[in-house]
Amino acid sequence: MRTYHCFWLLFWAGQPHQSFLTPLSKRTSGFPDKEKVLVLSGNSRQDLHRSKRSWMWNQFFLLEEYTGTDYQYVGKLHSDQDKGDGSLKYILSGDGAGDLFIINENTGDIQATKRLDREEKPVYILRAQAINRRTGRPVEPESEFIIKIHDINDNEPMFTKDVYNASIPEMSDVGTFVVQVTATDADDPTYGNSAKVVYSILQGQPYFSVESETGIIKTALLNMDRENREQYQVVIQAKDMGGQMGGLSGTTTVNITLTDVNDNPPRFPQSTYQFRAPESTPLDSPVGRIKANDADVDENAEIEYSITEGDGYDMFGITTDKDTQEGIITVKKALDFENKNLYILKVEATNTHVDPRFLYLGPFKDSATVRIQVEDVDEPPMFSRPAYIMEVKEDVPLNSVIGTVTAQDPDAAKNPVKYSVDRHTDMDRVFNINSGNGSIFTSKPLDRETLLWHNITVIAAEINNPKQSSRVPVFIKVLDVNDNAPEFAMFYETFVCENAKAEQLIQTLSAVDKDDSYNGHQFSFSLAPEAASSSNFTLQDNRDNTAGIFTRKTRYNRHETSTYFLPVVISDNDYPIQSSTETVTIRVCACDHRGKMLSCNAEALIHPTGLSTGALIAILLCIIILLVTVVLFAALRRQRKKEPLIISKEDIRDNIVSYNDEGGGEEDTQAFDIGTLRNPEAIDDNKLRRDIVPETLFMPRRTATARDNTDVRDFINQRLKENDTDPTAPPYDSLATYAYEGNGSVAESLSSLESVTTDGDQDYDYLSDWGPRFKKLADMYGSMDSDKDS
């Protein structure tokens, strides 16, 4: 490819003179013969009115992306002061001077040393100057010129995204906007067609199209169905040079997804469904599931099921499983095989979100027939009522029938039924039931005042299969009869003053009755016949279920009679009439003139200095405490005092201290014998224990005397074995102490227990003759003797 340079030459002259082009000694290959020259002149043209500048300004043009092996020739600088004798030197400064651009200081030739890229830098501004070589002074003022990089088509169009993603609803019209793609070209848009981009579709026809100038992608095919194809991949090309041959191009991929619309109605895969349900199926339990298929997704595939008709319209219901979009058929009412064993339903499935644009495709619903066969199961007996209420009078005789419950086997077999009472509901066994006919009768007396209602449970079970049973509550109300006599509402104990007047009211009586009265209780009061004539008091019935006691005489003497007991007869008016005799205690008391009681004890006048009841109780308690103290003190004194083991505090010989020695009791005198420690031969084996009675009498055994110089360990083991096998030995909680130091020793016993039995003083001087081993004892006991002598 040949590169042509267009040269422009501008002259700046102060006086008219001939401008010229200085030939170059060397030319860069590949350039036109006509060279570019920037002429420097010391004269100015009059029409431009610049007298001080003699530079000719110019701009150079250079093509980018030069691929030659030599430096690329740019142009030539020349001054009108240059006589060709080499006295002038050309200097270049500015953008890229000395690196990117170089100048021949003798000839003024400018060359580019590197390949230039317009997209990196389109314009370079440089400054040129001619100086005298000898003086180094400029002969012309510095002037500025431009090197402009011409563009070539070296950049292909680039899309803003490598991959585009877009979506449109299915069944869209032709020409529906999908997405717009954009490509940019880095070349110069003002120079030629290098940056003019044209779009075209390489892949995706005939479904989509693209506008060549804008890059807008649109649908090109009618009624694209998502259920047939959901994903489309479209490849778009962007080409520069206006799409002409030789232009550069770039591509991008557009992934287009068809979104769902509700354009498919639900459809049952079959027209009839068969299900089986046991008649014992609980309410709201599922019988089966059906599903209508919908090719749509998400909310467009949501289905609502309903039962539109059929003989089981009120027996079954249907709901929608939101996760699986299935219709769940459930039981609404209890099934009965004996009553009806087949139900036929018509179930309809309908879309919940219908798009009106697609109603022309048909109704968005479908229906199917469901047949449900009821299966027979062995059912428990069924009572004729859900609950029974019975009434019985409380005075009914035992074994009286108060009511009957009835239950039957609902199955076709009609198995016989037996009845029983759940004893957890009748712990006292007040009622019983005939197992054959279900009649309930009393087995214990009833009392309405104790318990008004009895709530029991009756169980009916098949005789052939007792596991098949059912229960029913029976509420039994006990009716009242007049079997309780009226009685005082409280215990009455009143008083009458000694100075009371006749016909004076001293007490008002009232009564209660445990029985129930539908019309209200009516009580009558009267004195008992034995007290009606001889009583000192009278009774007046007030006819309002109360009565008053009045005095019959003027004065009463508590020294003669301190207390009166007045019997009162109370009767009711129910049938049969019940009556009772209650006693009112009346005490005669001393009162002041206002009738306020002062004292009611006759002894208070006879013994005015007597003690009150509280004082007597306090004295009695003190006496009891004193007696208890004396008894405890006497019991402590009776306890035996233990024999001290150490007679003198100054006795520093071996001491035996015993702790918590309980023994066999006070009577167990053989449990711990200190004499055994003193002399084992002194044991009296004929003594028997007095604290226990042995079951069998054993002949006392004489224990062999231990041999002289017997080892202590053998002695203790022997004694232990004898006590373990001896039935007359002390109890297990007794402490048996064994201590034996040998018999017949030359030194005799060294035990402090043995020494305490001697009455006189002992001489321990012989310990010094026993050698160095006994020196310590000799010094110890010898010093004690010296202390005593002193």
Side-chain angles (χ1 to χ4, degrees):
M1 176 180 174
R2 297 185 62 188
T3 305
Y4 296 93
H5 297 268
C6 184
F7 303 101
W8 295 86
L9 185 60
L10 297 178
F11 299 96
W12 182 272
Q15 296 178 357
H17 66 275
Q18 182 180 0
S19 300
F20 59 90
L21 300 174
T22 303
L24 296 176
S25 61
K26 186 178 179 181
R27 298 293 300 275
T28 303
S29 61
F31 288 88
D33 295 337
K34 189 177 180 181
E35 62 180 349
K36 300 177 286 185
V37 179
L38 182 61
V39 180
L40 306 176
S41 175
N43 301 319
S44 300
R45 296 181 58 181
Q46 294 179 356
D47 54 340
L48 295 178
H49 305 289
R50 284 190 68 177
S51 60
K52 293 183 179 180
R53 295 288 300 273
S54 59
W55 283 92
M56 290 185 63
W57 182 88
N58 198 1
Q59 61 178 355
F60 298 106
F61 294 90
L62 191 64
L63 287 177
E64 65 173 336
E65 303 295 342
Y66 170 71
T67 59
T69 58
D70 297 331
Y71 291 161
Q72 187 177 6
Y73 180 77
V74 178
K76 182 181 181 62
L77 293 178
H78 184 72
S79 175
D80 56 1
Q81 300 294 329
D82 190 356
K83 305 301 182 181
D85 55 0
S87 61
L88 295 182
K89 179 182 178 181
Y90 295 97
I91 298 175
L92 187 65
S93 63
D95 294 340
D99 179 22
L100 190 58
F101 300 101
I102 61 175
I103 187 171
N104 190 319
E105 61 183 14
N106 296 321
T107 63
D109 292 328
I110 302 173
Q111 291 177 310
T113 62
K114 297 181 182 179
R115 186 169 62 177
L116 303 177
D117 188 358
R118 189 200 65 83
E119 285 71 37
E120 292 183 2
K121 189 174 180 64
V123 175
Y124 294 87
I125 302 175
L126 294 97
R127 292 176 297 278
Q129 192 174 32
I131 64 175
N132 191 296
R133 284 183 180 272
R134 287 184 295 106
T135 62
R137 295 180 179 179
V139 298
E140 298 289 347
E142 187 180 51
S143 184
E144 185 178 84
F145 66 95
I146 296 173
I147 297 177
K148 200 173 208 182
I149 308 301
H150 269 182
D151 183 46
I152 65 172
N153 190 18
D154 61 341
N155 291 280
E156 70 275 5
M158 300 291 294
F159 284 93
T160 57
K161 295 182 181 179
D162 294 335
V163 178
Y164 289 83
N165 295 302
S167 62
I168 58 169
E170 62 174 333
M171 309 299 288
S172 296
D173 297 333
V174 175
T176 302
F177 174 83
V178 179
V179 69
Q180 183 177 13
V181 296
T182 303
T184 59
D185 196 317
D187 293 327
D188 188 359
T190 64
Y191 182 75
N193 294 325
S194 299
K196 186 177 181 181
V197 179
V198 175
Y199 300 93
S200 62
I201 183 168
L202 300 181
Q203 178 183 321
Q205 295 175 331
Y207 307 103
F208 300 95
S209 63
V210 61
E211 292 183 357
S212 60
E213 295 183 358
T214 61
I216 296 176
I217 302 175
K218 298 180 180 180
T219 58
L221 188 64
L222 184 64
N223 294 335
M224 285 189 292
D225 193 358
R226 184 200 65 85
E227 287 71 33
N228 294 331
R229 184 177 177 181
E230 184 177 3
Q231 298 286 341
Y232 294 87
Q233 190 174 74
V234 179
V235 178
I236 301 297
Q237 181 189 65
K239 191 174 183 180
D240 58 12
M241 299 299 291
Q244 298 177 5
M245 185 175 296
L248 302 178
S249 64
T251 60
T252 187
T253 300
V254 182
N255 295 322
I256 302 175
T257 303
L258 297 183
T259 59
D260 185 57
V261 297
N262 192 5
D263 59 338
N264 294 280
R267 290 289 181 263
F268 283 104
Q270 59 193 68
S271 60
T272 303
Y273 293 85
Q274 296 276 354
F275 296 107
R276 292 180 176 272
E279 62 177 335
S280 59
T281 303
L283 298 182
D284 297 327
S285 298
V287 174
R289 289 172 174 254
I290 60 176
K291 183 177 182 180
N293 298 325
D294 194 325
D296 298 322
V297 294
D298 298 333
E299 68 174 13
N300 296 319
E302 292 181 0
I303 301 174
E304 183 178 355
Y305 297 89
S306 61
I307 299 176
T308 57
E309 57 183 68
D311 53 3
Y313 180 81
D314 59 341
M315 297 294 295
F316 300 93
I318 188 169
T319 57
T320 302
D321 188 335
K322 298 301 182 182
D323 296 329
T324 62
Q325 295 301 315
E326 291 179 315
I328 306 174
I329 301 175
T330 57
V331 178
K332 290 174 58 178
K333 292 184 179 180
L335 303 177
D336 189 359
F337 173 82
E338 290 73 23
N339 186 26
K340 188 175 181 61
N341 57 16
L342 178 63
Y343 294 92
I344 300 177
L345 310 174
K346 185 177 181 181
V347 178
E348 187 176 82
T350 308
N351 277 138
T352 56
H353 300 86
V354 178
D355 194 336
R357 296 177 299 170
F358 305 103
L359 291 177
Y360 67 93
L361 297 177
F364 282 78
K365 59 183 178 181
D366 195 16
S367 60
T369 301
V370 178
R371 299 170 60 89
I372 301 176
Q373 183 73 41
V374 180
E375 297 178 342
D376 188 24
V377 295
D378 189 7
E379 298 177 274
M382 293 184 60
F383 285 93
S384 58
R385 302 179 189 174
Y388 291 85
I389 299 178
M390 301 179 182
E391 294 182 348
V392 58
K393 291 186 177 182
E394 60 178 328
D395 62 345
V396 67
L398 295 181
N399 299 323
S400 298
V401 176
I402 60 176
T404 302
V405 296
T406 304
Q408 292 183 353
D409 183 12
D411 299 324
K414 299 298 180 182
N415 294 320
V417 177
K418 64 177 181 180
Y419 303 91
S420 61
V421 176
D422 186 356
R423 291 306 172 187
H424 292 90
T425 61
D426 186 23
M427 302 294 291
D428 297 332
R429 296 181 177 269
V430 179
F431 301 95
N432 212 334
I433 191 171
N434 189 309
S435 61
N437 57 21
S439 59
I440 300 175
F441 55 89
T442 59
S443 57
K444 287 186 178 180
L446 303 177
D447 187 5
R448 188 202 67 87
E449 289 72 32
T450 303
L451 186 61
L452 176 62
W453 284 93
H454 294 267
N455 303 327
I456 65 174
T457 300
V458 175
I459 303 173
E462 295 182 6
I463 296 178
N464 299 333
N465 186 10
K467 292 183 179 180
Q468 294 294 336
S469 63
S470 57
R471 298 166 175 263
V472 68
V474 179
F475 307 102
I476 302 174
K477 183 179 181 181
V478 181
L479 301 178
D480 184 47
V481 296
N482 192 23
D483 57 346
N484 290 279
E487 56 188 15
F488 281 150
M490 56 181 295
F491 175 74
Y492 289 103
E493 182 178 4
T494 185
F495 71 95
V496 61
C497 294
E498 287 182 309
N499 56 358
K501 298 180 180 180
E503 301 298 327
Q504 181 179 343
L505 177 66
I506 61 174
Q507 183 66 49
T508 300
L509 307 177
S510 63
V512 293
D513 195 334
K514 296 179 180 180
D515 293 325
D516 190 12
S517 178
Y518 298 101
N519 299 322
H521 291 291
Q522 302 235 346
F523 303 123
S524 59
F525 299 86
S526 62
L527 293 177
E530 63 272 15
S533 58
S534 60
S535 176
N536 294 309
F537 303 91
T538 60
L539 182 68
Q540 180 179 344
D541 192 347
N542 297 328
R543 304 298 180 182
D544 58 355
N545 293 335
T546 62
I549 300 177
F550 295 87
T551 57
R552 176 174 287 181
K553 60 183 183 179
T554 301
R555 294 186 62 85
Y556 296 87
N557 191 342
R558 56 177 169 164
H559 299 291
E560 296 178 357
T561 304
S562 62
T563 304
Y564 294 93
F565 300 98
L566 185 66
V568 178
V569 177
I570 310 173
S571 303
D572 56 22
N573 62 348
D574 292 334
Y575 179 81
I577 296 177
Q578 299 288 340
S579 62
S580 64
T581 302
E582 302 288 332
T583 300
V584 180
T585 302
I586 304 174
R587 302 177 62 187
V588 180
C589 300
C591 303
D592 56 11
H593 63 281
R594 292 176 297 180
K596 184 177 180 180
M597 180 181 65
L598 298 178
S599 175
C600 294
N601 293 328
E603 294 79 1
L605 296 176
I606 302 175
H607 305 285
T609 61
L611 297 177
S612 64
T613 303
L616 293 176
I617 293 175
I619 294 174
L620 183 60
L621 289 176
C622 293
I623 295 174
I624 292 174
I625 293 173
L626 182 62
L627 289 177
V628 171
T629 305
V630 172
V631 170
L632 290 176
F633 182 75
L636 293 176
R637 290 292 302 270
R638 289 183 59 187
Q639 291 185 355
R640 293 184 59 184
K641 201 172 182 182
K642 293 184 178 180
E643 182 180 357
L645 297 179
I646 302 177
I647 302 302
S648 175
K649 294 183 179 179
E650 298 178 354
D651 192 350
I652 60 175
R653 290 174 293 176
D654 296 340
N655 296 328
I656 298 178
V657 181
S658 177
Y659 297 95
N660 299 328
D661 181 18
E662 296 180 355
E666 294 182 357
E667 297 298 327
D668 185 10
T669 58
Q670 300 300 323
F672 186 84
D673 189 1
I674 196 66
T676 304
L677 297 176
R678 299 194 182 102
N679 189 2
E681 297 179 0
I683 300 176
D684 187 3
D685 292 335
N686 294 328
K687 292 183 179 180
L688 298 179
R689 291 182 56 179
R690 292 179 295 173
D691 60 332
I692 60 173
V693 178
E695 296 181 359
T696 57
L697 295 177
F698 293 89
M699 293 300 295
R701 294 183 300 172
R702 183 69 178 179
T703 304
T705 304
R707 297 190 303 271
D708 294 341
N709 300 326
T710 302
D711 187 74
V712 176
R713 180 181 301 173
D714 295 338
F715 167 77
I716 294 177
N717 291 335
Q718 179 183 356
R719 287 291 188 265
L720 178 61
K721 183 177 180 181
E722 291 175 356
N723 279 274
D724 289 341
T725 58
D726 187 5
T728 63
Y732 292 111
D733 60 350
S734 299
L735 176 65
T737 303
Y738 305 101
Y740 181 63
E741 299 180 359
N743 189 20
S745 173
V746 178
E748 297 182 355
S749 176
L750 298 179
S751 173
S752 60
L753 297 177
E754 183 67 22
S755 63
V756 298
T757 59
T758 60
D759 298 329
D761 296 331
Q762 296 186 17
D763 187 8
Y764 298 101
D765 294 337
Y766 58 88
L767 294 176
S768 302
D769 301 332
W770 286 2
R773 294 185 177 181
F774 295 89
K775 185 176 184 306
K776 184 67 176 176
L777 289 175
D779 296 338
M780 184 184 302
Y781 286 93
S783 62
M784 292 179 59
D785 294 338
S786 62
D787 293 338
K788 290 180 181 180
D789 295 337
S790 61

